[in-house]
Amino acid sequence: MYKIVALDLDETLLDLNKNCCDRNLKAIAKAQELGVKIVPSSGRTPGFLGTTLEDLNINKENEYCILGNGAIVVDNKTNEAIFCAPIPFEIVLELFQFGKEHNVGVQIFTPENVYFWFTKDEEWNRIANLGNNLIRRFDDSCDDFVPFVVDEPRAVL
């Protein structure tokens, strides 16, 4: 008997419209009835989940997601990070500067929001409905960000 099933989201569990078909929803519900943990495992980050956890009925206690390509593990009910491996802020600043100089879209993920700089309209229109805490910025600085430091294994996202 399986104890855990890790599922990729986009274009695997979810279709191009970010919906899960009824057959998969029923399979998830059946697995949960049998005590199997359903764990979304995605390149997405918490800011990009939108209503996905609610739609899949996995936003309860003792349910988790592996996000950011493995950089963050989040408690689905509390939205608390139980593991986080952030990029050092000095590197974030270097990457931001590169994006600015080369007109490449930059995204910075914070505990509260996902911020976008240098994002083309076409790209923004594609992603803007993927979450409710996505913020598009038009300035050319991220100086107002304070480095997100994880001093212990549990950090709130």
Side-chain angles (χ1 to χ4, degrees):
M1 166 57 87
Y2 294 103
K3 294 184 180 190
I4 185 171
V5 175
L7 299 169
D8 178 53
L9 295 177
D10 298 311
E11 298 178 31
T12 304
L13 180 65
L14 307 176
D15 63 21
L16 292 174
N17 295 316
K18 310 299 181 213
N19 297 314
C20 184
C21 71
D22 287 338
R23 182 176 176 198
N24 285 342
L25 288 172
K26 288 176 185 171
I28 288 170
K30 180 66 176 173
Q32 288 174 314
E33 287 174 21
L34 296 171
V36 176
K37 292 288 183 189
I38 304 299
V39 180
S41 181
S42 177
R44 290 192 198 191
T45 58
F48 281 106
L49 288 175
T51 62
T52 301
L53 301 180
E54 292 86 4
D55 297 345
L56 298 175
N57 194 29
I58 53 174
N59 58 333
K60 302 177 242 168
E61 248 180 75
N62 298 314
E63 301 285 348
Y64 305 92
C65 293
I66 301 168
L67 302 172
N69 293 318
I72 305 168
V73 178
V74 175
D75 180 302
N76 295 353
K77 183 171 177 85
T78 65
N79 211 28
E80 180 181 14
I82 60 172
F83 171 82
C84 184
I87 295 173
F89 197 66
E90 299 76 32
I91 294 174
V92 170
L93 292 174
E94 287 178 35
L95 293 170
F96 184 90
Q97 190 62 35
F98 179 89
K100 180 178 171 180
E101 291 172 6
H102 297 282
N103 196 28
V104 174
V106 173
Q107 301 170 14
I108 295 181
F109 300 85
T110 70
E112 297 83 23
N113 298 302
V114 181
Y115 296 89
F116 295 81
W117 284 266
F118 323 119
T119 305
K120 294 176 178 41
D121 290 340
E122 177 182 314
E123 177 69 4
W124 181 251
N125 292 336
R126 185 182 72 77
I127 61 174
N129 66 347
L130 292 178
N132 55 5
N133 57 344
L134 310 181
I135 299 171
R136 189 176 185 190
R137 291 191 46 171
F138 295 94
D139 56 328
D140 63 356
S141 171
C142 67
D143 292 341
D144 56 340
F145 279 86
V146 175
F148 175 49
V149 179
V150 179
D151 6 336
E152 55 184 79
R154 292 175 135 347
V156 175
L157 275 185

